[in-house]
Amino acid sequence: MKAKTLTALLFSTLVAATSLTATAGQDRGHHGPLPGPVMQLKGLDLTEAQKAQVKTLMEQHRASLPAKAGMKAQHQQLKTLIQAENFDEAAVRAELESQQKQRLEAEISRARLQHDIYQLLTAEQKAKLAEREQKRESRLQG
C-alpha cells in the first residue's frame, strides 16, 4: 500500500513540476497560464496609462518568477533521488517540500498580480469583467 501511495505522490509531483517547468520561461501573452483578470483585459478599453501600468506589473511579475534552469535542476534532483539505488525518504521529502513551497510562492505572486491589475480598472471595466466571468461560468456549467 505504501509503495502505491508513494508512487502516486511521486508521479503527481513530477507532473506538477514538469508543467511548472514548461510554463516558467514562456511568454505569458494571450495564451499563457495566467487565468482570471489578466487574460480577460482585451475589450475592456484600457487607457494608455492603464496599459502601461499593466505592462509594468507583468514585467515585474515575470522578473520575480524562478528561473527555468533552476526548475529543471529541481526536476533532475528529484529524478536522481527516484533512480538512486537506495530510497532516501528524507531527501525526497525535503526536495518535494522545497518544490511545493516554490509553487505556493508562484501562485501567491500570480494572485497579487491579478489583484494589482484589478485595482487599476475603473468601475465600468470591473463590471464588464464581472459580466464576462459570469457568462464564462455559466458556459462551463452548461
Side-chain angles (χ1 to χ4, degrees):
M1 183 65 173
K2 280 185 176 181
K4 286 183 181 180
T5 304
L6 182 59
T7 302
L9 174 64
L10 289 174
F11 180 74
S12 63
T13 301
L14 285 173
V15 169
T18 302
S19 65
L20 189 58
T21 300
T23 61
Q26 281 183 359
D27 174 24
R28 287 171 173 73
H30 179 67
H31 299 291
L34 299 173
V38 175
M39 293 289 290
Q40 300 175 4
L41 295 177
K42 189 172 183 177
L44 291 182
D45 302 321
L46 297 178
T47 65
E48 290 304 315
Q50 286 175 314
K51 289 177 184 177
Q53 289 173 313
V54 168
K55 183 178 179 180
T56 300
L57 288 171
M58 293 294 289
E59 288 170 355
Q60 290 170 349
H61 175 73
R62 282 188 198 114
S64 72
L65 293 176
K68 190 173 183 177
M71 301 298 289
K72 282 188 174 187
Q74 284 185 330
H75 178 71
Q76 184 58 45
Q77 175 63 26
L78 185 59
K79 185 177 176 181
T80 300
L81 291 169
I82 291 169
Q83 294 174 347
E85 186 70 28
N86 296 313
F87 183 73
D88 184 351
E89 183 175 343
V92 170
R93 183 177 302 276
E95 183 61 33
L96 292 175
E97 286 173 351
S98 172
Q99 289 179 13
Q100 188 175 34
K101 183 178 178 184
Q102 285 187 344
R103 281 191 298 276
L104 175 64
E105 293 303 320
E107 289 299 316
I108 291 170
S109 177
R110 184 180 70 162
R112 182 178 296 119
L113 170 67
Q114 290 178 348
H115 170 80
D116 291 346
I117 290 173
Y118 187 78
Q119 299 310 308
L120 297 174
L121 301 178
T122 65
E124 295 85 18
Q125 290 167 332
K126 288 178 182 178
K128 193 172 187 178
L129 189 60
E131 181 182 332
R132 282 188 196 170
E133 183 63 24
Q134 187 177 20
K135 285 181 182 178
R136 187 177 80 77
E137 288 292 324
S138 65
R139 271 195 323 263
L140 290 175
Q141 291 176 357

